[in-house]
Amino acid sequence: MRKTVITETGAPSVRFIEIGSEQAGQRVDNFLIRLCKGVPKSHVYKAIRGGEVRVNKGRVTADYRLDEGDTLRIPPMRLPAPDQARVVPPAVFPIVFEDDALLVIDKPAGVAVHGGSGVSFGVIEQLRAARPDAAFLELAHRLDRETSGLLLIAKRRKALLALHDMMREGAGRKHYQALVVGDWVNDKQHLRQPLLKWLTASGERRVKVDALGKAAHTIITLKQRYGAYSLLGAELRTGRTHQIRVHLAASGHPIVGDDKYGRDEVRARFASLGFGRMFLHACRLELPHPLTGEPMVFEAELPPACTQILHHLERNS
């Protein structure tokens, strides 16, 4: 990618950037938000809507996908001064696997995967801050903020597109572990209720089982019973928002600690025991390498907080 260089000693100036192969395919809004770190997103979208952002001298919408060789015009947008404190603190996460195309980390609970919806920054922004020389770092999929476990990050555009294709076509296998309320009866069960997104009166995003929703398929296996609770394995065959959480709640077995679809009294009880998170963990990923096709299997053990609460339940069930 060839781009102009600007300094912060004077007023911001117009920049022209030529898009290279590693940037091709990105939405123009996402590209600008990453490039113009420190500029409010609202300013970026206002510039796009106002026609100040142009591609090959023409106006574009926020969802325009950049092509290799495009010339992108970026209007004057004031960036943070060079000596200003870094907005996003860099962070290092446990690495499960890394090569020149792919990074797999073990995400802790309580950390969003990206900024937005009231969160200033997430895993991807912190990784970019920790790796300022990385040419490309993009999320290949997502985990809920309170879900821990395996998270895929692409280090090359070609790898990202291949991973997205795999997710869409169901080429990979994503396995989770969840502790739920109640005595789960069947050793193996397929949950296929369609799921529909909706907004609460306060504007919060939620999901519910609804005949008008999108097809969803979760395979549940019983791992162990703990009296009034059950440890389950969950394999995603589709990737809908909050899929495991809603399927289990709709089955009468909400996940322990789930603040959207779970029970307040259960969450309070486990919090009193020192367990203050949702018990959902992405424990295993099976998929071919996005560039070589080589079969890969990644695993992440249950975090100590989860194993400790299981030991407590075992002793007291």
Side-chain angles (χ1 to χ4, degrees):
M1 178 176 71
R2 177 170 54 81
K3 62 183 178 181
T4 61
V5 178
I6 65 170
T7 65
E8 299 297 333
T9 56
S13 60
V14 172
R15 290 182 289 172
F16 292 89
I17 293 178
E18 183 177 321
I19 301 302
S21 59
E22 286 297 311
Q23 292 75 39
Q26 295 186 56
R27 284 174 49 130
V28 68
D29 56 348
N30 293 335
F31 179 82
L32 288 172
I33 288 167
R34 178 179 176 186
L35 183 70
C36 302
K37 294 175 182 176
V39 174
K41 291 182 181 180
S42 59
H43 292 190
V44 172
Y45 285 105
K46 183 179 179 181
I48 296 172
R49 288 194 303 270
E52 297 177 84
V53 173
R54 291 179 175 254
V55 176
N56 303 327
K57 300 184 179 180
R59 295 172 68 118
V60 293
T61 56
D63 60 357
Y64 173 82
R65 293 194 179 273
L66 297 164
D67 287 328
E68 184 175 358
D70 277 350
T71 298
L72 174 64
R73 177 192 187 272
I74 304 176
M77 287 190 278
R78 184 169 295 281
L79 302 177
D83 59 351
Q84 183 174 328
R86 190 187 292 268
V87 175
V88 179
V92 176
F93 299 95
I95 295 175
V96 177
F97 172 85
E98 182 172 13
D99 64 8
D100 63 350
L102 184 64
L103 171 65
V104 184
I105 67 168
D106 187 356
K107 185 189 85 68
V111 181
V113 296
H114 60 80
S117 301
V119 180
S120 299
F121 55 83
V123 169
I124 193 64
E125 291 87 0
Q126 290 188 285
L127 280 173
R128 290 169 183 160
R131 299 179 176 212
D133 297 329
F136 188 90
L137 286 174
E138 293 289 347
L139 292 166
H141 67 123
R142 283 159 174 65
L143 293 178
D144 293 339
R145 183 175 183 176
E146 290 305 320
T147 302
S148 56
L150 297 166
L151 182 66
L152 297 173
I153 294 101
K155 296 172 65 178
R156 294 174 60 182
R157 165 64 52 182
K158 187 176 180 181
L160 179 66
L161 297 177
L163 287 167
H164 283 171
D165 287 343
M166 288 181 206
M167 302 294 178
R168 211 165 25 243
E169 297 166 4
R173 297 286 184 268
K174 293 191 285 187
H175 300 265
Y176 295 72
Q177 285 186 302
L179 182 68
V180 302
V181 178
D183 186 3
W184 189 270
V185 176
N186 299 321
D187 289 339
K188 187 171 185 178
Q189 185 171 342
H190 292 256
L191 304 180
R192 300 178 184 271
Q193 301 98 321
L195 300 179
L196 180 69
K197 293 181 184 179
W198 62 288
L199 293 177
T200 66
S202 62
E204 187 179 2
R205 182 183 63 175
R206 295 289 179 90
V207 178
K208 62 182 177 180
V209 170
D210 192 291
L212 298 178
K214 293 183 177 180
H217 182 190
T218 309
I219 303 173
I220 301 297
T221 54
L222 176 64
K223 297 295 184 183
Q224 190 168 342
R225 293 187 175 94
Y226 297 91
Y229 303 94
S230 301
L231 180 65
L232 307 177
E235 180 185 346
L236 284 179
R237 304 300 292 141
T238 55
R240 307 302 178 201
T241 300
H242 299 169
Q243 178 174 319
I244 297 172
R245 300 166 67 178
V246 177
H247 269 172
L248 288 172
S251 299
H253 299 273
I255 297 175
V256 166
D258 190 335
D259 63 352
K260 285 184 169 63
Y261 309 103
R263 301 174 185 171
D264 292 342
E265 65 275 13
V266 173
R267 192 163 59 253
R269 183 202 168 206
F270 277 80
S272 71
L273 297 173
F275 189 78
R277 55 160 291 183
M278 178 173 65
F279 199 123
L280 183 60
H281 178 70
C283 60
R284 183 179 172 93
L285 274 170
E286 307 169 28
L287 75 166
H289 190 279
L291 299 187
T292 67
E294 178 184 358
M296 299 185 300
V297 177
F298 306 120
E299 293 185 327
E301 294 182 355
L302 279 174
C306 293
T307 57
Q308 288 166 12
I309 202 67
L310 290 181
H311 290 156
H312 171 84
L313 293 176
E314 192 166 23
R315 290 192 302 269
N316 294 276
S317 60

